[in-house]
Amino acid sequence: MRFLIAFVTALLVVTACGGDRERDATSARRSDQSAAAVAVGVPATLTKRLDFASCLAEDLGNEETQSTRCPSFALLSLDYMSSQCTASGGTLKAHVPSAAWSLDVDGDASAEVLVDLIANFDCAGAPGTFTCGSTGCPFLLYKKRDDTWAEIGAINADDAPGIQVLPAKEGQYATLRGGCLGQEPCSEFVHYEWNGSAYVRKWIDFKGHPVDVAPGGLKTLTADSAVFDAPGKSGQAIEEYPAGTAVIVIGTAREGPYYFVSPCNACRRGFVETALLKR
């Protein structure tokens, strides 16, 4: 009997230790993910050195009068914006001062420029000429190459303010991270990675849960379901939705068979089991 009690006790200890090791491993993985998610980055710097008002006042058809302070991406955009505004019966006017962000994405000590050109101008007399819907206009990222500026990415309006340049190896393009309009605390950090020619929206850290961006368009709930704050049984319900509700698929969870979705523009985002959604 003593032997049996000792054996059972030992078995319970081993089982408990195994469970502890499994929990420790899971905790370590989550800690690693969290550490990666909160890596210290260098925030973009707000700059008001660009003078879009002077660009607009110049005779763009006369190269001799063009200011060296007016970047080529502004000249090309102003030509289009001015023609669109005029066609709508308005007059293009620049905000003073102009606003943009500077950041160094490749460590070459030469700053790139992140700017929302639409936000720096008004079409007086026809205010609805330039609109980008409820999500806002994307910020465009430009890099200077020789004497011209090349567009190397488009950053969502929610992610651009306060975007950070994460640490990178020397000579490599860094990952960019932003979200929540630059406000803290933020539960949804979006990561933009260099694909060899441009920055693309690659993955999202939603409350410590990694999501691979994979736009899936609209899908419909096949049964009543909640949208959860985590991809698993431990997730807490954010909101309940009936069968037939259409949701926008943003990406797929790495931790299980769950989609990361948005039920509407104003709704809170979260996770739904992939088996409950169909086209």
Side-chain angles (χ1 to χ4, degrees):
M1 178 62 71
R2 291 179 181 176
F3 174 81
L4 179 60
I5 293 174
F7 176 79
V8 171
T9 302
L11 181 61
L12 290 174
V13 170
V14 170
T15 302
C17 291
D20 288 341
R21 283 195 296 270
E22 184 177 350
R23 285 191 292 272
D24 290 343
T26 301
S27 176
R29 286 195 297 271
R30 289 179 177 174
S31 296
D32 290 343
Q33 292 170 352
S34 298
V38 297
V40 177
V42 178
T45 303
L46 179 65
T47 176
K48 298 183 178 180
R49 295 178 59 189
L50 294 175
D51 188 355
F52 292 138
S54 294
C55 290
L56 190 59
E58 292 175 357
D59 177 5
L60 301 183
N62 185 347
E63 294 185 0
E64 294 181 358
T65 65
Q66 291 180 8
S67 168
T68 56
R69 295 181 60 190
C70 191
S72 57
F73 66 79
L75 296 176
L76 293 172
S77 299
L78 289 182
D79 193 22
Y80 170 78
M81 292 170 65
S82 181
S83 64
Q84 292 295 306
C85 183
T86 300
S88 299
T91 302
L92 192 64
K93 294 184 179 297
H95 293 184
V96 179
S98 303
W101 280 260
S102 65
L103 60 166
D104 185 3
V105 303
D106 56 357
D108 66 353
S110 178
E112 282 67 55
V113 174
L114 182 65
V115 61
D116 178 1
L117 285 170
I118 300 298
N120 278 285
F121 292 89
D122 288 321
C123 184
T129 301
F130 306 118
T131 59
C132 298
S134 60
T135 57
C137 298
F139 286 53
L140 300 181
L141 181 61
Y142 294 97
K143 180 177 181 60
K144 194 168 187 180
R145 291 173 176 163
D146 298 324
D147 295 328
T148 61
W149 289 83
E151 181 184 326
I152 61 170
I155 309 297
N156 284 6
D158 285 350
D159 306 329
I163 198 164
Q164 296 184 355
V165 181
L166 298 184
K169 294 181 180 179
E170 185 176 353
Q172 293 185 355
Y173 281 73
T175 294
L176 307 180
R177 180 184 65 202
C180 304
L181 293 172
Q183 299 174 0
E184 295 283 356
C186 181
S187 62
E188 188 174 329
F189 287 107
V190 182
H191 295 71
Y192 293 78
E193 296 183 357
W194 183 252
N195 69 359
S197 59
Y199 274 96
V200 294
R201 193 164 169 260
K202 194 71 174 179
W203 70 280
I204 299 169
D205 177 352
F206 183 74
K207 298 183 177 182
H209 303 286
V211 174
D212 292 313
V213 173
L218 283 174
K219 290 184 182 290
T220 305
L221 280 173
T222 59
D224 296 351
S225 176
V227 170
F228 297 93
D229 65 356
K233 301 300 182 183
S234 62
Q236 298 296 312
I238 295 173
E239 189 62 74
E240 300 278 347
Y241 294 94
T245 299
V247 301
I248 299 172
V249 174
I250 300 169
T252 57
R254 294 181 187 173
E255 300 171 18
Y258 285 79
Y259 284 125
F260 184 60
V261 305
S262 174
C264 68
N265 285 336
C267 297
R268 295 173 64 189
R269 298 174 177 178
F271 298 94
V272 173
E273 288 186 68
T274 56
L276 294 179
L277 291 174
K278 71 173 184 179
R279 288 197 179 278

